[in-house]
Amino acid sequence: MNDDVKSLMPKADMTRRGFVSAAVLATGYAMAVSPAAAGAISTDSQGLAAGAVMIPTPGGHPMPAYAAMPAGKGPFPTILVIQEIFGVHEHIRDVCRRFAKLGYLAVAPELYFRQGDPSVLTDIPTILSTIVARVPDAQVLSDLDAAAAWAAANGGDAERLGVTGFCWGGRAVWLYAAHNPKLKAAVAWYGRLVGNATPETPKQPVDVAAGLMAPVLGLYGGADQGIPQDSVEKMKAAVKLAPVKVDMVVYPDAPHAFHADYRPSYREAPARDGWARALSWFKANGV
């Protein structure tokens, strides 16, 4: 284990550039979703090496990230955790620690770090218009490759690589499963499936379905007002051409972000069932 991993800080509220509001420092959650619900899950770092790291990227700009892994000697199976639109705030860091408690190296790269810091913005429309809309898919895929390479060099097992993501990150999961031939398994939580092409987002998951290189589990809410069920049905039809196994589960009464235990959208039953399915999916597919 090299010095970068040994220096992982146990505090989860490390920030990307050293500038962040007092509210974010106090709660750990992005301002647009603060305060967190009283029942938000909090996973401690006991027995883990967990904290902020910097990941080299091909463009020469170090990428901030949060990583968590067991304190013992690896190599550990690796999960790339892709953020929601709010960036790598406390919920995403907690998900990393949950994986680490189960024996994984989990790393969540700050995929907007070139475009801005969503944690200090107070409303979702501003985050979408000023940051998310400016993030190219090509940049995201390259940065995920960089995170996977960092993990392989810092206690992770390159032969046991998985990816999961939520909302914006759920969409990126599908794209990454069609991008990295070394990926073993993927789990997408309520990621958008269809949409118009833009210079930054030239293809949507439905467009890459036939080219998936890793098995994908998709977890969706039947009451998700942002992801209509007809788009889920389109994806189900498209993945019939995929050369790998794909399973799409729809929880009939679940809204968008049903796994987000810090938000009113949280639904315990589908969140727990989805988490159990995710872990089984990774295990069954070699992660």
Side-chain angles (χ1 to χ4, degrees), residues 154-231:
N154 289 277
D157 185 347
E159 300 301 317
R160 294 183 289 166
L161 176 65
V163 64
T164 193
F166 307 87
C167 184
W168 181 88
R171 173 183 174 273
V173 163
W174 290 102
L175 300 181
Y176 197 64
H179 166 79
N180 186 351
K182 296 181 179 180
L183 188 69
K184 294 293 186 183
V187 178
W189 298 77
Y190 35 83
R192 183 162 56 91
L193 299 166
V194 302
N196 297 325
T198 71
E200 289 75 25
T201 60
K203 293 184 178 181
Q204 301 300 333
V206 71
D207 301 318
V208 302
L212 293 171
M213 301 181 200
V216 183
L217 170 64
L219 301 169
Y220 287 83
D224 189 332
Q225 296 183 354
I227 303 177
Q229 283 304 295
D230 65 336
S231 71

Side-chain angles (χ1 to χ4, degrees), residues 7-169:
S7 67
L8 284 173
M9 300 296 292
K11 293 182 180 180
D13 61 1
M14 293 290 290
T15 57
R16 287 166 291 288
R17 301 182 182 124
F19 67 92
V20 71
S21 72
V24 176
L25 285 172
T27 68
Y29 292 92
M31 290 182 67
V33 288
S34 293
I41 295 172
S42 180
T43 305
D44 64 56
S45 58
Q46 184 175 357
L48 305 178
V53 298
M54 298 297 288
I55 295 175
T57 67
H61 303 289
M63 175 171 58
Y66 181 86
M69 70 186 82
K73 185 178 180 181
F76 304 108
T78 299
I79 304 291
L80 304 179
V81 179
I82 309 181
Q83 65 200 45
E84 310 159 296
I85 64 167
F86 309 111
V88 183
H89 66 146
E90 179 56 19
H91 176 63
I92 298 301
R93 296 192 292 259
D94 199 274
V95 169
C96 289
R97 295 193 295 274
R98 295 176 205 180
F99 276 117
K101 291 280 188 178
L102 296 171
Y104 290 95
L105 187 167
V107 57
E110 291 277 9
L111 297 170
Y112 303 160
F113 82 98
R114 297 175 187 83
Q115 283 75 31
D117 183 356
S119 71
V120 301
L121 300 179
T122 58
D123 64 276
I124 291 174
T126 300
I127 294 173
L128 291 173
S129 64
T130 65
I131 296 180
V132 177
R134 298 169 52 217
V135 180
D137 286 342
Q139 171 190 297
V140 172
L141 298 177
S142 176
D143 284 347
L144 290 170
D145 285 343
W150 177 90
N154 289 277
D157 185 347
E159 300 301 317
R160 294 183 289 166
L161 176 65
V163 64
T164 193
F166 307 87
C167 184
W168 181 88

